[in-house]
Amino acid sequence: FYSSDSASNASSSWKKANYHNIYKDIADLLEDEDYDDGSYGPVFVRLAWHASGTFDKKTKTGGSDGATIRFAPESGHGANAGLDVARERLEPLKKKYPHISYGDLYTLAGVVAVQELGGPTIRWRPGRQDNKVAVDCTPDGRLPDAAQGSDHVRSIFYRMGFNDQEITALAGAHALGRCHSNRSGFEGPWNASPTAFTNFFFTELLNNTWVPKKWNGPFQYVDKESGQFMMLPADMVFRTDPQFRKYSEIYAADQDAFFADFAKAFTKLLELGVQFPEDAPVYEFKTLE
Ligand code: ZEM
């Protein structure tokens, strides 16, 4: 199902794609009343993150360059369950615009989703080169395990080169979307507006009383009052760990501060390990409306 157009792998192919048009076409793919809460935006953000968050700064392996997430075994890693849905939704655009690389398409989809769901403008550059075959897939275990605590979260994100402030800002993406019992095993949205990019991850995390969910699934939290919203064990560290909590309090009180820090950290995430062509321009796309 993946296009093997050799033009897409030529080193200067990226110059031939019109990223403004691709932005618009991705934006047109977001809404679908039959999918989840009516939007593919959250799963596009998760695809962009998982395509990038495999980076290891010591070995300079992983990241969105190469787009290894589309190949087995990486596509089948447990953390990537459900992301085939996002890749298939985007595939017609790879056919329509063969000059964009998959690495650029997946990361751009995350940018479009954040912006169109009401988040900050995300600076983005093209020029990621796809691997033609399944080489350099990352080993399983590079993405965070939701069942673990602050030591694990730090070791995963420090490996990518992030600090505690950046990690906390990135975790705020859990304002979007939901957990699916048939993907991660966990269940439910983090708040009442999962298709709006807000600072609600932090406000819900700090203002609610969180109790263990009574069910046969993996250990997670639900809010005591309504029982409708959830937190993962790994989310809870942004409330309980003093260093993380310091930033959670700032972001809960100041949405603009969250947006500014998220935008910087998300661009950094999407660029981890990428060798950009020297003449790759930085785009700041306008939202559609
Ligand atoms: Zn997530 N994330 N994530 N995340 N994530 C899920 C869903 C989404 C963790 C995690 O285990 C999970 C970041 C960090 C971390 C999104 C964005 C970002 C799910 C549910 C899990 C289990 C998957 C499912 O069942 O569909 C952990 C442990 C993290 C670090 C501590 C970062 C960083 C993100 C982006 C910047 C998004 C948008 C979703 C919702 C996906 C959807 O389909 O609705």
Side-chain angles (χ1 to χ4, degrees):
F1 96 38
Y2 292 108
S3 166
S4 60
D5 185 333
S6 61
S8 66
N9 291 308
S11 59
S12 62
S13 160
W14 65 272
K15 288 186 185 170
K16 297 181 191 156
N18 183 323
Y19 297 102
H20 292 283
N21 290 345
I22 302 173
Y23 181 104
K24 281 199 204 86
D25 280 8
I26 295 170
D28 285 341
L29 288 178
L30 293 177
E31 276 185 41
D32 180 349
E33 62 182 16
D34 296 327
Y35 179 74
D36 265 15
D37 305 288
S39 175
Y40 279 86
V43 79
F44 284 176
V45 174
R46 185 165 166 252
L47 175 64
W49 139 237
H50 281 205
S52 309
T54 52
F55 183 64
D56 177 349
K57 68 175 181 183
K58 282 208 190 95
T59 58
K60 297 189 169 64
T61 57
S64 58
D65 223 359
T68 57
I69 195 172
R70 72 199 197 281
F71 293 124
E74 192 172 325
S75 56
H77 290 170
N80 289 330
L83 292 179
D84 52 321
V85 169
R87 291 197 302 278
E88 283 175 46
R89 182 81 172 167
L90 293 167
E91 188 60 21
L93 296 188
K94 177 61 179 168
K95 299 270 154 37
K96 184 172 175 186
Y97 301 100
H99 294 296
I100 191 173
S101 66
Y102 281 109
D104 283 346
L105 181 62
Y106 297 163
T107 54
L108 182 56
V111 169
V112 174
V114 167
Q115 293 195 179
E116 295 297 319
L117 299 182
T121 302
I122 308 292
R123 293 162 64 89
W124 179 87
R125 279 189 285 175
R128 294 164 189 78
Q129 304 278 320
D130 290 337
N131 294 349
K132 290 176 195 165
V133 293
V135 292
D136 302 328
C137 278
T138 54
D140 203 356
R142 288 210 177 169
L143 293 162
D145 174 356
Q148 296 201 49
S150 57
D151 289 352
H152 171 78
V153 170
R154 282 202 172 84
S155 75
I156 292 280
F157 283 90
Y158 286 1
R159 188 208 66 227
M160 295 176 222
F162 289 109
N163 62 32
D164 287 357
Q165 175 263 308
E166 293 168 315
I167 299 168
T168 310
L170 287 171
H174 282 176
L176 293 179
R178 57 172 56 246
C179 296
H180 304 77
S181 53
N182 60 348
R183 295 182 185 173
S184 60
F186 300 97
E187 185 57 43
W190 285 270
N191 65 69
S193 53
T195 63
F197 194 93
T198 61
N199 66 342
F200 290 0
F201 173 73
F202 303 106
T203 54
E204 296 288 334
L205 181 68
L206 298 181
N207 297 338
N208 283 323
T209 302
W210 295 98
V211 295
K213 181 177 168 79
K214 293 198 182 97
W215 72 327
N216 290 326
F219 183 88
Q220 66 171 74
Y221 297 90
V222 287
D223 76 294
K224 192 177 178 190
E225 200 171 340
S226 78
Q228 288 181 52
F229 309 126
M230 67 93 57
M231 287 288 161
L232 299 163
D235 290 323
M236 207 53 92
V237 307
F238 298 98
R239 173 174 168 142
T240 56
D241 180 278
Q243 285 307 312
F244 288 140
R245 187 184 174 107
K246 188 172 83 185
Y247 299 109
S248 294
E249 286 177 355
I250 293 169
Y251 298 145
D254 184 350
Q255 182 156 236
D256 293 345
F258 167 54
F259 275 27
D261 286 355
F262 180 84
K264 282 193 208 115
F266 197 54
T267 294
K268 176 173 168 178
L269 172 67
L270 304 188
E271 298 200 342
L272 292 174
V274 181
Q275 306 281 331
F276 285 103
E278 266 173 31
D279 49 348
V282 175
Y283 287 88
E284 292 191 44
F285 297 100
K286 287 201 168 65
T287 53
L288 289 199
E289 297 298 285

